[in-house]
Amino acid sequence: MRKKVDERIRTLIENGVKKCHRSMFVIVGDKHHYQIVNLHHMMRQATVKPMTSVLWCYKKNLQLSSHQKKRMKQIKKMRQRGLLDVEKEDSYLLFLDSEKIRYCYYSETENILGGTYGMCVLQDFEGLTPNILARTIETVEGGGLVLLLLSSLTSLTSLYTMVMDVHKRFRTEAHPCAASRFNERFLLSLALCEACIVMDDELNILPISSHMWSITPVPALEGPGGLSESELELKNLKEQLHDDFPVGPLIGKCRTLDQGKAVISFLDAILEKSLRMTVALTAARGRGKSAALGLAIAGAVAGGYSNIFVTAPSPENLKTLFEFISKGLEALDYKEHTHYELIRNPDYKNATTRVNVFKQHRQTIQYIQPQDHEKLSQVELLVIDEAAAIPLPVVTSLLGPYMIFLSSTVNGYEGTGRSLSLKLFSKLEAENHLLAKKDDKSLSGSLFRKIELNESIRYAVKDPIESWLHGLLCLDATNQIPRLNSSGLPPPSECDLYYVNRDTLFSYHKESEIFLQRMMALYVSSHYKNSPNDLQLMADAPAHHLFVMLGKVDESKNQLPDILCVIQVCLEGQISRESVIKSLSHGSQPSGDQIPWKFSEQFQDNAFPSLSGARIVRIAVHPDIVGSRYGSAAVDLVTRYYEGQLTNISEAECDDPKYDEFENASLKVTEAAEKVSLLDESIKRRANLPPLLVHVQERRPEKLHYLGVSFGLTWGLYGFWAKNKFAPFYISQIPNAVTGEHTCMMLRPLNTDDVELNGANEWGFLDPFYQDFRQRFIRLLGSSFRSLHPALALRILEPRVGAKKDIRAEAKEPTSTSNGVLGLEATTLTPYDMKRLESYTDNRMDFHLILDLVPVLSHLFFGSKLPVELDYIHKIILLCIGLQNQDFTYVKGVRIPLPCREGHRFAKEVQLSGEQITASIFKVMTRIYRYLYGLATKEVESTLPRLREVVMLPDSRSVEDDLNDAAKQVVEKMNKEEQDYLLNPDMLKQYVIVGQENEIEAALLKGQGKISSSGVVSVKSSRRKEENGKVKFKNGKKRENDRGKFNPKKRKV
């Protein structure tokens, strides 16, 4: 059954062909593939161009196989089963067989960069991402069609709740539900796209495309009067250079004035034949970069260049480039097969990979993979196309002493476009100015040139699809940054923090769109890793939250305030112990929760993931106030907010439902529940939305235990986060493939009652993990981090670089052992090591004889076990030689940044000479030796015998009192001894007269009974001699003699 097609559909296609603009159709229904044929037929009727190719992108499966033989088998089986209506399918099958269709998975859309197609078909809406939209739609030329196929839907608003494939990466254990805010904004944007029609699978236009009711045909532009100003200028340029060779013929192939000027700049560089020249060409999609490079290469062949190498992410990206190389050679009177030949490689789907030219002499244009930089020894000209899709370190490795042409897309859909402009180009410009100063040359003879293309080639200016796509994905956000009035800016301490409600932000209201564009503009201007996928992450990820720092908001003025800083955080943690144990046992990590999983993997800790935290995903400061401490102020406000210092809500008020109004304002799609058909459905913006901005004092913060951040390790970024009291716990050993930087993760514990903190250390519960990380980092400096800049490595080991107080001043003094002078764990310095060190410090030995001691001493010093104070430069030299195992030649080539007061910045860079390095290492070894010698001296002194020290203290008594007391003590002692002596029976025994009684009587009779006046009677004693203190009597008995006692021989009567 035939049906008349709505004239508005045909009119839109014809207007697009006449104006060289693209048209877009969204087809809803399961029979959409039938209408692909009809729309393609109408496009072919409206255009006079030759047959164009079709790009068909899908997620996984096609209705019919893309392989012709397999497709014929499928058709045969379907006919046998009665599943195929031959009358309806004939046109569709004929379309598949006759047209040149390029099938491509969504996951492989990077391979279509640089290609141009007349029609693009996108099926499997749930697999689409913003990056895929940007890649595929921009490949369609002017007058072509973009077809978006949707399966049968009861309501278009069901897209608001559709689960996209990318949502799987957004979900976490604590946040399992993702919202489809991006789909809502996408659908609402279609209602305002001037070149888009939403219709069902029977070509009935739906009410959402009501703006197409008044579409009218436009007249075709004919004659000179239809040329724009730039087209007239290009025409005049072609006429002026028509007779110049090789410029004239090549300019004749250019389609825009910008492209013509770019080709002239390339040819000027080629004719200069400078071996150190880099020309960079940057532009948005569809500006003719690859074509300009192809024409320039043809000019290089005419200029006599023999070895020309071309590189790109894939040979398929070079289809346009090799096509225009061929066109340029033909314009220069080179004939294929006669003067040159094209070599195609079947391994790359028969893409052209080599051009052999043999008209004058042997010349070669050869494709190489970006990783094969070692093959560039004989290159004269290197061309890098789509450099934004090549990892930045790979691009850097391709640079060398030869001429380089480089092109890049900077709109950011590749993800690294800004990386080239912010990193590589700035580096090349700095080197250019430095070399110009050294050679005393003017800047006109510079070694680096930059060219920009603004005018589109694939389609005409003011293409409505381009405007719609740029607005939807914020691709031209850099033009949305308003200038700030520096005189009216408040200081950072007086700024306020506001929470951004994402339901309102992505509601597609006019004010919300302006605010969103400004936020994305700050992202693009501050970060080099940007892609449209970041927009969907901001909109749909359930754990992500947005904050902005504003000045004082005047509510009386009906205007949006200027954004000073944007912070995007992601809530992480709250992972069950069972999930952690399972992950550790299997060695796998689920998506999301980057910091908890990485922390658990590094330290094998199953308790930390159960804590709740927030990772600062991005922080972007307005470019007019960069370096004015606004970023640090924003981080401080976020920290205080999550610590509960900024919220004025009491615990009783927290239970009030009105404070959960902004959190529970989930999408309530009432339109999807209405029982109306697609032809009667009206799509409108949602009303009664919550406020866009909410002061953090009016919002209850989540209970968190820490703040974290993950970034590419650089001097500036690490200094910024270290200044804001973040401590590192992980640095990847393998650099990132895109940026060439090591991924660094840092944490800052928050003051909370849920975790026991030790007030004696700086990092709280993180301190033991930080110390473990520090020791591991020191051990890895000689291997994985050997190429890390020594100044950055020193900053990681010593967070307070430049501070007056050295952290080793607080270290404990090392202990000595009996095995050597200094024994610390397994590291021991022997007496022979000390002798060699002494000889070196006395200038009696060369440095290479103590080179083996430098790593030992370096590990002791940076392990905070040698409290020796060294200068900043001395520390860097010791780290470079001792920990990174580098030689003096490497140290001489290192540019050492001198830190300033701000910590994360440096005032200037210096380079050391060989004499300075030798003198510095001599000073370092001398100071270390003096400390070790003092330690050894103390050890020897501790082993020597020492007299006991007598302490003489003054007596509080006087001399006279002391003598009197002593006299009293002597008298008392004497009296006591005398009494004891007289009363002692043993004492009386000494007075016993030894002898016979008859002898005594004889003595008395001899005196006639009278006693002499002396009272003494003499009696001969029987004792003879004394032996060993014993008295020996005549009778043989012995008796002890009391020495010092009176032993009289005579007895007084």
Side-chain angles (χ1 to χ4, degrees):
M1 182 180 67
R2 293 182 175 272
K3 180 179 178 181
K4 184 178 180 180
V5 179
D6 196 319
E7 287 297 328
R8 291 172 293 177
I9 298 175
R10 189 181 300 274
T11 301
L12 177 62
I13 296 175
E14 293 177 352
N15 288 351
V17 173
K18 293 176 183 178
K19 299 168 66 175
C20 198
H21 289 168
R22 295 168 293 177
S23 304
M24 182 174 178
F25 294 91
V26 181
I27 307 176
V28 183
D30 292 335
K31 300 180 180 180
H32 42 58
H33 57 283
Y34 296 141
Q35 309 306 334
I36 296 176
V37 182
N38 296 329
L39 294 174
H40 184 268
H41 178 69
M42 285 186 279
M43 181 189 68
R44 291 288 301 274
Q45 285 184 332
T47 184
V48 294
K49 295 181 180 179
M51 182 180 63
T52 58
S53 60
V54 178
L55 175 64
W56 195 308
C57 299
Y58 58 101
K59 181 179 69 173
K60 188 176 181 180
N61 296 319
L62 289 169
Q63 183 181 11
L64 294 175
S65 175
S66 59
H67 194 275
Q68 186 175 7
K69 292 184 177 180
K70 293 182 180 180
R71 184 167 62 245
M72 296 303 297
K73 292 181 180 179
Q74 285 181 329
I75 295 173
K76 183 178 180 180
K77 291 181 180 180
M78 293 175 67
R79 285 178 177 175
Q80 292 175 352
R81 296 175 183 177
L83 302 178
L84 187 66
D85 190 345
V86 179
E87 296 181 359
K88 293 183 178 180
E89 297 288 347
D90 278 347
S91 59
Y92 178 62
L93 297 177
L94 180 61
F95 169 77
L96 297 179
D97 293 335
S98 59
E99 297 297 331
K100 185 179 179 181
I101 302 177
R102 164 71 187 277
Y103 295 96
C104 180
Y105 290 111
Y106 282 151
S107 59
E108 299 177 355
T109 49
E110 291 184 355
N111 297 331
I112 65 174
L113 299 178
T116 303
Y117 303 92
M119 174 185 284
C120 176
V121 180
L122 302 175
Q123 71 176 45
D124 303 325
F125 180 79
E126 67 277 4
L128 278 176
T129 63
N131 275 10
I132 295 174
L133 280 176
R135 292 173 188 154
T136 55
I137 294 178
E138 289 295 339
T139 60
V140 180
E141 62 183 355
L145 301 181
V146 179
L147 305 183
L148 181 59
L149 310 182
L150 299 176
S151 58
S152 293
L153 299 174
T154 57
S155 171
L156 286 177
T157 52
S158 60
L159 295 177
Y160 295 3
T161 56
M162 176 179 288
V163 178
M164 307 295 287
D165 292 346
V166 73
H167 288 173
K168 182 179 180 180
R169 297 190 293 107
F170 296 164
R171 302 189 194 98
T172 62
E173 183 173 335
H175 305 87
C177 300
S180 297
R181 299 184 183 92
F182 182 81
N183 288 355
E184 178 186 5
R185 183 169 172 268
F186 170 79
L187 185 61
L188 292 173
S189 68
L190 295 178
L192 300 180
C193 181
E194 300 177 357
C196 176
I197 292 181
V198 182
M199 56 189 181
D200 60 10
D201 53 3
E202 295 182 356
L203 300 184
N204 297 315
I205 300 179
L206 302 183
I208 189 176
S209 299
S210 58
H211 59 283
M212 303 301 296
W213 289 106
S214 58
I215 186 173
T216 56
V218 296
L221 299 178
E222 298 179 356
L227 297 177
S228 62
E229 182 179 354
S230 61
E231 291 174 341
L232 290 175
E233 192 172 350
L234 176 63
K235 182 180 179 180
N236 295 333
L237 181 64
K238 291 181 179 180
E239 293 176 354
Q240 294 175 4
L241 301 176
H242 182 267
D243 297 332
D244 294 341
F245 185 87
V247 181
L250 296 178
I251 291 296
K253 297 294 183 180
C254 297
R255 297 181 56 182
T256 63
L257 180 63
D258 286 347
Q259 191 182 38
K261 293 180 178 180
V263 172
I264 292 176
S265 299
F266 282 130
L267 293 178
D268 288 342
I270 290 171
L271 296 178
E272 287 181 12
K273 294 189 176 181
S274 174
L275 294 181
R276 296 190 62 89
M277 174 74 70
T278 301
V279 183
L281 178 63
T282 61
R285 292 298 308 273
R287 265 57 180 176
K289 301 183 299 299
S290 299
L293 285 177
L295 295 176
I297 293 174
V301 172
Y305 284 75
S306 300
N307 296 321
I308 303 174
F309 287 87
V310 181
T311 185
S314 172
E316 299 176 12
N317 303 139
L318 299 175
K319 177 182 177 181
T320 303
L321 184 138
F322 279 107
E323 178 184 349
F324 275 85
I325 290 177
S326 179
K327 291 182 178 181
L329 292 176
E330 290 177 358
L332 297 174
D333 294 333
Y334 284 74
K335 304 298 182 182
E336 188 177 1
H337 306 300
T338 302
H339 300 140
Y340 73 93
E341 63 177 354
L342 302 177
I343 308 299
R344 305 182 186 276
N345 193 334
D347 296 336
Y348 297 108
K349 298 182 180 180
N350 287 327
T352 303
T353 57
R354 185 184 181 94
V355 179
N356 293 326
V357 183
F358 36 80
K359 181 178 182 180
Q360 298 176 352
H361 60 279
R362 177 188 170 278
Q363 295 172 289
T364 303
I365 305 171
Q366 175 68 49
Y367 166 79
I368 63 171
Q369 294 183 353
Q371 295 81 9
D372 297 338
H373 57 85
E374 67 276 358
K375 298 180 179 180
L376 301 176
S377 58
Q378 303 296 328
V379 66
E380 299 178 49
L381 172 62
L382 174 65
V383 180
I384 307 175
D385 195 15
E386 297 294 350
I390 303 175
L392 181 59
V394 177
V395 177
T396 305
S397 65
L398 292 172
L399 305 182
Y402 35 78
M403 185 170 294
I404 299 173
F405 291 167
L406 183 148
S407 74
S408 171
T409 304
V410 293
N411 268 356
Y413 76 94
E414 294 97 338
T416 58
R418 295 292 296 176
S419 177
L420 286 170
S421 60
L422 293 181
K423 282 183 165 288
L424 180 61
F425 290 171
S426 59
K427 176 183 177 181
L428 292 175
E429 289 175 352
E431 292 179 354
N432 172 36
H433 292 306
L434 181 63
L435 291 175
K437 291 180 180 179
K438 288 184 178 180
D439 297 339
D440 295 329
K441 294 181 181 180
S442 61
L443 294 179
S444 60
S446 61
L447 300 178
F448 176 71
R449 297 178 185 176
K450 186 177 179 181
I451 308 171
E452 295 184 3
L453 299 181
N454 298 317
E455 192 173 353
S456 177
I457 289 182
R458 282 200 181 105
Y459 39 82
V461 295
K462 297 181 180 181
D463 180 69
I465 298 298
E466 180 185 39
S467 302
W468 166 78
L469 189 64
H470 284 196
L472 174 66
L473 305 182
C474 302
L475 295 180
D476 55 352
T478 52
N479 301 325
Q480 306 293 331
I481 304 179
R483 305 294 298 181
L484 295 179
N485 184 10
S486 58
S487 60
L489 283 177
S493 58
E494 297 181 4
C495 296
D496 295 326
L497 189 67
Y498 289 84
Y499 177 80
V500 181
N501 187 280
R502 292 188 292 169
D503 289 339
T504 307
L505 182 65
F506 292 93
S507 62
Y508 208 69
H509 284 275
K510 181 179 179 181
E511 292 77 11
S512 299
E513 279 298 301
I514 296 176
F515 199 80
L516 176 62
Q517 294 285 342
R518 291 181 180 179
M519 290 178 64
M520 293 302 299
L522 293 188
Y523 277 167
V524 174
S525 63
S526 302
H527 295 266
Y528 55 87
K529 287 180 59 179
N530 293 279
S531 69
N533 280 351
D534 299 334
L535 196 65
Q536 191 171 20
L537 179 69
M538 290 172 53
D540 296 353
H544 284 243
H545 296 275
L546 300 174
F547 296 90
V548 292
M549 189 176 73
L550 311 175
K552 296 297 181 182
V553 179
D554 189 358
E555 297 182 358
S556 61
K557 296 181 180 180
N558 189 19
Q559 62 181 11
L560 292 172
D562 292 329
I563 305 175
L564 303 181
C565 182
V566 180
I567 295 183
Q568 180 179 350
V569 302
C570 175
L571 302 181
E572 296 183 340
Q574 296 181 337
I575 305 173
S576 64
R577 185 177 295 270
E578 293 76 12
S579 300
V580 177
I581 296 175
K582 181 179 178 181
S583 175
L584 291 177
S585 61
H586 292 176
S588 60
Q589 296 181 6
S591 60
D593 293 319
Q594 291 185 16
I595 288 180
W597 288 122
K598 186 60 67 176
F599 195 98
S600 175
E601 177 191 37
Q602 290 297 306
F603 303 104
Q604 295 297 299
D605 183 82
N606 56 10
F608 180 84
S610 62
L611 302 179
S612 59
R615 175 171 53 90
I616 299 179
V617 181
R618 288 192 175 193
I619 176 171
V621 181
H622 196 286
D624 292 346
I625 55 175
V626 172
S628 302
R629 302 182 184 275
Y630 284 90
S632 298
V635 173
D636 182 65
L637 286 174
V638 172
T639 304
R640 292 168 56 197
Y641 166 69
Y642 281 117
E643 289 179 345
Q645 301 180 20
L646 302 181
T647 305
N648 296 327
I649 304 176
S650 63
E651 294 184 2
E653 293 174 330
C654 285
D655 297 332
D656 196 330
K658 68 179 182 180
Y659 290 101
D660 292 332
E661 175 183 359
F662 308 123
E663 312 304 325
N664 298 328
S666 58
L667 290 177
K668 298 179 180 180
V669 186
T670 57
E671 294 84 357
E674 297 177 358
K675 296 182 179 180
V676 294
S677 64
L678 288 174
L679 297 177
D680 299 329
E681 184 182 24
S682 178
I683 305 297
K684 297 180 181 179
R685 301 184 183 93
R686 290 192 294 139
N688 300 324
L689 289 169
L692 176 63
L693 301 176
V694 181
H695 199 283
V696 292
Q697 293 180 354
E698 303 173 3
R699 183 182 183 273
R700 180 179 59 188
E702 294 80 2
K703 293 183 179 180
L704 303 181
H705 303 102
Y706 62 87
L707 284 180
V709 65
S710 176
F711 57 92
L713 185 60
T714 61
W715 172 275
L717 286 179
Y718 184 87
F720 172 80
W721 293 111
K723 185 184 68 173
N724 286 281
K725 302 179 181 179
F726 283 76
F729 74 91
Y730 167 75
I731 297 178
S732 64
Q733 300 182 29
I734 302 175
N736 185 276
V738 177
T739 63
E741 300 167 348
H742 296 269
T743 300
C744 177
M745 292 186 179
M746 305 179 72
L747 288 179
R748 176 179 177 176
L750 299 178
N751 293 328
T752 175
D753 298 334
D754 297 340
V755 178
E756 295 182 2
L757 298 181
N758 185 5
N761 54 64
E762 182 180 358
W763 308 114
F765 72 88
L766 184 62
D767 185 72
F769 303 104
Y770 169 69
Q771 298 300 334
D772 180 77
F773 157 78
R774 197 169 178 274
Q775 294 299 324
R776 294 173 62 186
F777 182 74
I778 291 175
R779 292 193 291 264
L780 289 173
L781 278 174
S783 54
S784 300
F785 302 115
R786 191 167 184 263
S787 59
L788 192 66
H789 197 286
L792 180 56
L794 178 63
R795 185 63 189 273
I796 296 172
L797 292 177
E798 298 186 359
R800 287 171 280 184
V801 168
K804 294 183 179 180
K805 186 178 181 181
D806 197 306
I807 62 174
R808 273 172 301 280
E810 303 175 359
K812 295 182 179 179
E813 186 174 293
T815 58
S816 302
T817 63
S818 59
N819 296 330
V821 175
L822 185 64
L824 294 168
E825 300 175 358
T827 304
T828 303
L829 288 178
T830 65
Y832 306 105
D833 297 333
M834 289 295 295
K835 284 290 185 181
R836 286 188 291 140
L837 200 58
E838 179 185 7
S839 299
Y840 174 73
T841 56
D842 291 341
N843 288 320
R844 293 185 284 110
M845 184 182 290
D846 293 334
F847 175 72
H848 69 274
L849 294 177
I850 65 162
L851 185 61
D852 61 307
L853 298 180
V854 178
V856 177
L857 299 176
S858 300
H859 279 81
L860 294 176
F861 176 79
F862 289 104
S864 301
K865 297 176 181 178
L866 284 181
V868 180
E869 293 188 5
L870 299 179
D871 297 336
Y872 172 70
I873 298 295
H874 294 168
K875 294 176 185 177
I876 289 183
I877 296 176
L878 183 63
L879 183 145
C880 200
I881 297 177
L883 297 184
Q884 293 185 315
N885 301 325
Q886 302 287 0
D887 54 10
F888 279 25
T889 304
Y890 175 85
V891 180
K892 286 195 297 183
V894 173
R895 301 183 63 86
I896 302 176
L898 300 179
C900 59
R901 295 180 179 179
E902 296 183 7
H904 63 285
R905 300 178 179 273
F906 51 89
K908 62 179 181 179
E909 293 181 345
V910 296
Q911 261 183 305
L912 301 179
S913 62
E915 292 78 8
Q916 290 175 319
I917 298 173
T918 303
S920 297
I921 198 66
F922 179 80
K923 292 180 181 178
V924 171
M925 293 295 105
T926 302
R927 292 183 183 181
I928 293 178
Y929 171 74
R930 288 177 180 175
Y931 171 76
L932 296 177
Y933 181 79
L935 191 65
T937 304
K938 292 181 181 179
E939 180 183 9
V940 173
E941 291 179 353
S942 63
T943 60
L944 295 177
R946 297 182 181 181
L947 296 176
R948 181 177 298 177
E949 185 178 359
V950 179
V951 181
M952 305 293 291
L953 297 177
D955 198 346
S956 60
R957 299 175 298 174
S958 64
V959 178
E960 185 177 357
D961 294 339
D962 190 19
L963 293 176
N964 293 334
D965 294 341
K968 290 180 180 180
Q969 293 177 3
V970 172
V971 172
E972 291 177 355
K973 184 177 180 181
M974 290 176 63
N975 293 336
K976 185 177 180 181
E977 289 180 354
E978 184 177 1
Q979 292 179 359
D980 294 340
Y981 180 77
L982 295 177
L983 298 178
N984 189 359
D986 294 335
M987 288 299 300
L988 297 178
K989 291 181 179 181
Q990 65 181 326
Y991 299 106
V992 175
I993 298 176
V994 181
Q996 301 296 327
E997 293 294 333
N998 54 1
E999 293 180 357
I1000 298 175
E1001 293 179 357
L1004 291 176
L1005 292 176
K1006 187 178 181 180
Q1008 300 177 357
K1010 295 181 181 179
I1011 300 175
S1012 63
S1013 59
S1014 61
V1016 176
V1017 177
S1018 299
V1019 179
K1020 186 177 181 179
S1021 176
S1022 61
R1023 283 182 282 187
R1024 295 181 180 179
K1025 59 180 179 180
E1026 182 177 331
E1027 296 179 1
N1028 298 329
K1030 305 286 184 177
V1031 178
K1032 188 174 183 181
F1033 297 89
K1034 291 181 179 180
N1035 55 8
K1037 296 182 180 180
K1038 296 182 179 180
R1039 192 181 70 182
E1040 292 184 0
N1041 181 22
D1042 294 331
R1043 294 183 181 275
K1045 304 296 182 179
F1046 176 72
N1047 189 13
K1049 294 183 180 180
K1050 298 181 179 180
R1051 182 176 178 184
K1052 188 175 182 181
V1053 180

